[in-house]
Amino acid sequence: MSETSIKIESVDVLLLDLPTIRPHQLSVATMRRQKLVLVRIRASDGIVGWGEATTIGGLAYGEESPESIRTNIDTYMTPVLVGTDATSPNARMFALRSHLQGNRFALCAIETALYDGQARRLGVPLSDLFGGRVRDSLPVAWTLASGDTARDIAEAEHMLDIRRHRVFKLKIGARDVRADVAHVAAIKRALGDRASVRVDVNQAWSETDAMLGMGMLQDAGVDLVEQPIAAHDIEGMRRLRTMNRIPLMADEALHGPLDAFRIAESRAADVYAIKITQSGGLRGAQQVAAIAESANIGLYGGTMLEGAVGTIASAQLFATFPELAWGTELFGPLLLTEEILRTPLQYRDFELQLPAGPGLGIELDEDRLAFLQRQQH
């Protein structure tokens, strides 16, 4: 069978509603379950590629929901893909973007599945299609999001003891600024120099709250503040960055290369939280990283609390970045109570180990997927 005769035969979307190991509290929602959105693309040569488009908190975080992603893929994207050449992910994505507006998460899942399939076809890791990896493991932060100070300290101590994480990010913004800072400062005092402590405000503060909070967090020894104010307020982010010494990280403000350019041009962030879904796919995230590198902006590998597919897809790309000064947050699978891989991802010595196999380097347990889907009905 010649390459040009290899056609896409089917595109399937699977929704898996899985419990988390504990409540995960953000300023916009409290998560007790995570709904994974998996995309499976089968080609006529028997190759199957996987992608993921998982979101946070339904529509609480962004404009795409698991249900809308499935509907839009089934209704508008699958007809454009089925019967076309499976060996050219770029051509397929160009065709989709010529027909569609928005839908970054859905497009990311499809692009990942196409690249996974093509890398498997070629017998190489997906990272090879993006220039090749410069590291075989990635440091991984853990989010402390129970909201209870003593519980968060105990959880962090446990993670240090088992050598799984030594960077901790706290989700704050749901309480008064001073109460939040007191919570963070207590955790930093308990952990001392054994760990890096950072915060994510998820846009919950006003600019005046952020000015107060960032100064207090710096005094408490916190290393980084993520998206303290509204994502659209680039000028406000610039003012905060100018008037504070603690690094400011852009997250929700980054919806791909255009936003990356605008924020860099405004000098409104010290660090970018790169997410493949927020960037509209792997290539978009690679472009965001290139803009950051050109503007001397640090990189942090972000997460949408994806399961194993989205996590390892992100890792395959992040492993190609020459500089990744702020590490990653690719802990999503560790937050879930159910395993969907035949061989789970390996976290040890504070890092996620990248698999060496072709494509994403993982094998999904399709019997387990079918069982978990049946449980939902």
Side-chain angles (χ1 to χ4, degrees), residues 253-319:
L254 279 171
H255 286 181
L258 181 57
D259 285 337
F261 179 82
R262 288 172 174 163
I263 294 169
E265 184 179 40
S266 299
R267 300 185 181 277
D270 301 284
V271 184
Y272 283 174
I274 297 189
K275 298 178 179 178
I276 62 173
T277 45
Q278 288 281 47
S279 302
L282 295 158
R283 291 188 70 242
Q286 187 181 49
Q287 291 164 2
V288 170
I291 291 168
E293 184 178 3
S294 299
N296 198 31
I297 293 170
L299 296 182
Y300 178 71
T303 182
M304 288 298 296
L305 300 179
E306 296 101 332
V309 175
T311 294
I312 207 62
S314 299
Q316 290 277 354
L317 179 68
F318 298 162

Side-chain angles (χ1 to χ4, degrees), residues 117-138:
Q118 182 63 1
R120 291 176 187 272
R121 197 168 284 117
L122 298 172
V124 299
L126 187 147
S127 54
D128 279 15
L129 303 186
F130 290 85
R133 61 185 66 166
V134 298
R135 55 183 65 83
D136 293 318
S137 64
L138 298 168

Side-chain angles (χ1 to χ4, degrees), residues 24-28 56 61 142-145 168-175 180 183-184 197-205 217 222 224-229 247 249-253 273 275 300 302-305 329 331:
H24 191 76
Q25 182 175 308
L26 299 82
S27 66
V28 295
I56 292 176
Y61 186 90
W142 179 252
T143 295
L144 301 171
F168 300 100
K169 189 167 84 171
L170 281 83
K171 295 287 189 178
I172 63 172
R175 297 179 288 196
D180 266 339
H183 168 64
V184 176
V197 173
R198 307 162 182 183
V199 301
D200 183 2
V201 191
N202 287 123
Q203 310 179 74
W205 285 346
L217 289 166
V222 173
L224 183 72
V225 176
E226 180 176 349
Q227 201 64 57
I229 63 173
M249 180 158 72
D251 178 15
E252 288 91 342
K275 298 178 179 178
Y300 178 71
T303 182
M304 288 298 296
L305 300 179
E329 194 181 338
F331 69 88

Side-chain angles (χ1 to χ4, degrees), residues 109-165:
I110 289 173
E111 184 189 62
T112 300
L114 290 168
Y115 273 114
D116 180 34
Q118 182 63 1
R120 291 176 187 272
R121 197 168 284 117
L122 298 172
V124 299
L126 187 147
S127 54
D128 279 15
L129 303 186
F130 290 85
R133 61 185 66 166
V134 298
R135 55 183 65 83
D136 293 318
S137 64
L138 298 168
V140 178
W142 179 252
T143 295
L144 301 171
S146 75
D148 180 273
T149 304
R151 182 174 177 179
D152 281 351
I153 291 171
E155 190 172 302
E157 293 282 7
H158 175 64
M159 295 302 176
L160 288 168
D161 288 344
I162 64 174
R163 295 181 59 81
R164 208 175 73 183
H165 307 279

Side-chain angles (χ1 to χ4, degrees), residues 37-71:
V37 184
L38 303 180
V39 173
R40 178 178 57 205
I41 296 181
R42 297 185 187 275
S44 57
D45 60 351
I47 296 289
V48 175
W50 288 91
E52 184 171 348
T54 295
T55 66
I56 292 176
L59 283 173
Y61 186 90
E63 66 274 18
E64 290 176 81
S65 70
E67 296 77 15
S68 73
I69 290 168
R70 178 170 60 183
T71 297

